[in-house]
Amino acid sequence: MAVPDHPLFQRKYLAWTLVALAVAVAAVVWLAFGLLKPTPPRVVTMATAAEGSISAELGKRYRELLARDGVELRLSPAAGAVAYVERLRDSKSGVSVAVVPGGITTGRESPELVSLGTLFYEPLWIFSRGRVLAERERLSRKLRISVGVEGSGSRAFSVEFLARLGIEDGRNASLLALPSGEAAEKLVRGEIDAAILLDAWESPLVKQLLAVRDVHLVNAPRADSWVALYPYLNKVVLPAGVADMARDVPPTSVTLLAPKASLVVRKDLHPAIQYLLLQAAAQIHSGPGVFNKAGDFPAPESIDLPLSDQARQFYKTGPPFLQRHLPFWLAILIQQLLVLLIPVLGLLYPLLRFAPAVFAWAMRRKIFRLYRELKLLDDELAARHPHRVEDLTARLERLDEEADRLWLPISFRPLLYQLRMHISLVRERMKRA
């Protein structure tokens, strides 16, 4: 049955073309979003220490900065750096970000993780009452030393540190798994002999213990040897009087061992979120500190884990062009469109290239279908069956009416006129039959 005449461009075929294009584009979009995952998550989880710690406060600062771009950063409390890494490695934990000191894991142990660079020094603070860690003192009695809870970075470092000094749990010391706050309180009251913390200079506990008269900050023994044996460690010096110049706290400069803390993420964390974290890190950690100058951090240093591709690019050229000049989600939308544009254009090009040929075939097919019927009529007329002339005439009239209702673009009208002319020729032959 012919398509009725209409001023629009062949509605039937145009509609089918649009449907085919829509299905194809939808398939490309689905593949792009499903396989390439161009849309960043709106919720990201960061492992931190307990409320009140420097780690938790740091997490809040990151949360505040990411919230400005519409990304919610949830803080997930954990025992410490070792626990952070365990959660990061577990894809089901939901944790994607953590600040981890050097020496906790390696790229071989944690291939799922990458670094966004180093952020600050995190010294190993050894506070004691008197000179209990001196060889003569520690041989005279069994020492009570807090080394941090299971899963904490301070415990991981402390056990190794004390073992190197010949201090072992059960033999000549009791290594206590106390939370940092409880350890500080017990040390002040004289209930334990020493407490070892792995924390930043800004930690309230560090400032509190430095101010206690009977508590002393221990010089790291043979610091150069430690740095030689453990490349992730650094030797830093806490200047005399830096905590309180009026009271001369500490009274002398103290050498400390300090790994650098790195911003660690899962390798599959969306690149756009990595750039947001890097921008936040630049705002939070770029200022001067007791152990560093302004601009030293964040730094493109690969301590234990490789730098992510996004981190390498960030430290070379900064954030992507669109994220520098547009609001975050608008930049992401444009990036998504660009990601989709290439496969869509790749799909549309051959379709648009062959569409004229397909359309021309469709238009000719409508004419040729009528020509086939006309050929059958002509063949039957040539068979000279006089009793069928009336039937053939009726069929020819229907064919003529169908051709009359047929609409074609102007470029194909000559075919239609030729068909009408050939119908007239067959009609003349029927009249002579």
Side-chain angles (χ1 to χ4, degrees):
M1 180 178 182
V3 177
D5 193 10
H6 196 281
L8 296 179
F9 180 78
Q10 284 294 319
R11 295 183 302 178
K12 174 181 172 183
Y13 293 98
L14 180 61
W16 278 110
T17 302
L18 291 177
V19 169
L21 286 175
V23 171
V25 170
V28 171
V29 170
W30 179 83
L31 285 173
F33 276 78
L35 300 179
L36 301 178
K37 297 182 179 179
T39 305
R42 289 188 174 269
V43 179
V44 180
T45 302
M46 181 179 191
T48 65
E51 184 69 27
S53 65
I54 283 294
S55 175
E57 294 303 313
L58 194 59
K60 292 177 182 178
R61 295 182 67 185
Y62 275 95
R63 181 172 64 188
E64 179 183 349
L65 291 175
L66 264 65
R68 297 176 185 177
D69 290 303
V71 177
E72 179 186 353
L73 183 66
R74 294 177 181 172
L75 306 183
S76 176
V82 175
Y84 300 166
V85 171
E86 290 177 356
R87 292 193 183 184
L88 282 169
R89 293 172 63 180
D90 182 6
S91 60
K92 297 180 181 179
S93 71
V95 173
S96 302
V97 190
V99 176
V100 180
I104 298 298
T105 188
T106 65
R108 179 175 295 181
E109 294 172 352
S110 305
E112 315 90 344
L113 310 183
V114 290
S115 171
L116 300 186
T118 54
L119 306 177
F120 53 86
Y121 289 102
E122 196 167 5
L124 194 66
W125 305 89
I126 306 170
F127 292 100
S128 70
R129 300 187 69 88
R131 293 175 51 82
V132 296
L133 295 184
E135 185 174 359
R136 184 177 299 174
E137 291 290 335
R138 70 172 182 258
L139 291 177
S140 63
R141 59 192 177 90
K142 197 170 186 178
L143 302 177
R144 299 161 299 174
I145 305 174
S146 172
V147 295
V149 298
E150 290 289 344
S152 66
S154 61
R155 186 177 187 86
F157 282 103
S158 299
V159 172
E160 178 77 14
F161 180 86
L162 294 173
R164 285 277 183 175
L165 297 178
I167 301 174
E168 298 178 2
D169 189 30
R171 186 171 68 85
N172 53 7
S174 294
L175 302 186
L176 307 174
L178 300 177
S180 298
E182 184 180 347
E185 293 175 2
K186 287 182 177 292
L187 183 63
V188 172
R189 293 196 298 263
E191 297 177 10
I192 60 176
D193 300 302
I196 303 179
L197 312 175
L198 184 71
D199 216 334
W201 158 251
E202 294 79 7
S203 169
L205 285 178
V206 170
K207 304 289 184 62
Q208 173 191 338
L209 292 175
L210 282 171
V212 178
R213 178 172 298 180
D214 296 330
V215 173
H216 306 283
L217 180 60
V218 177
N219 253 307
R222 296 180 287 278
D224 291 326
S225 297
W226 280 95
V227 173
L229 291 170
Y230 299 92
Y232 55 82
L233 292 177
N234 303 273
K235 183 175 72 171
V236 297
V237 176
L238 186 70
V242 72
D244 189 336
M245 286 191 179
R247 296 177 54 205
D248 198 24
V249 178
T252 60
S253 295
V254 181
T255 299
L256 303 172
L257 294 172
K260 291 179 181 178
S262 297
L263 187 58
V264 176
V265 300
R266 285 188 57 83
K267 190 178 292 185
D268 56 7
L269 182 63
H270 196 282
I273 301 298
Q274 293 189 39
Y275 281 120
L276 272 188
L277 290 168
L278 284 161
Q279 289 175 272
Q283 294 186 53
I284 295 171
H285 304 287
S286 61
V290 170
F291 305 117
N292 65 279
K293 297 178 181 179
D296 285 350
F297 296 112
E301 296 176 293
S302 177
I303 305 299
D304 300 311
L305 299 169
L307 284 174
S308 75
D309 293 338
Q310 288 69 35
R312 293 182 187 279
Q313 191 63 34
F314 179 86
Y315 290 113
K316 288 180 181 178
T317 61
F321 176 83
L322 292 176
Q323 286 186 232
R324 285 201 304 268
H325 297 91
L326 296 174
F328 177 70
W329 288 104
L330 178 59
I332 295 302
L333 176 61
I334 295 176
Q335 288 174 3
Q336 290 173 349
L337 293 176
L338 291 176
V339 168
L340 295 176
L341 186 61
I342 294 175
V344 168
L345 288 178
L347 179 68
L348 289 180
Y349 175 74
L351 288 178
L352 295 176
R353 181 182 178 185
F354 292 108
V358 173
F359 180 75
W361 171 82
M363 295 300 99
R364 289 188 175 90
R365 181 175 177 273
K366 296 167 71 173
I367 294 291
F368 293 158
R369 180 178 62 82
L370 298 180
Y371 262 116
R372 283 196 298 271
E373 188 171 345
L374 182 63
K375 179 68 166 58
L376 289 174
L377 288 172
D378 193 36
D379 290 344
E380 291 183 30
L381 182 62
R384 300 184 180 279
H385 298 297
H387 61 282
R388 298 192 58 189
V389 171
E390 292 184 3
D391 177 57
L392 294 176
T393 302
R395 287 168 56 189
L396 184 64
E397 293 303 321
R398 287 196 299 271
L399 182 63
D400 191 23
E401 291 175 3
E402 189 171 351
D404 188 52
R405 293 195 305 267
L406 189 64
W407 182 91
L408 292 174
I410 293 177
S411 59
F412 293 93
R413 289 293 174 87
L415 293 176
L416 181 59
Y417 296 148
Q418 290 178 14
L419 173 65
R420 299 288 299 278
M421 182 182 67
H422 292 148
I423 290 175
S424 297
L425 291 176
V426 174
R427 182 182 288 114
E428 293 296 326
R429 289 184 61 189
M430 286 184 178
K431 290 179 179 179
R432 294 196 301 267

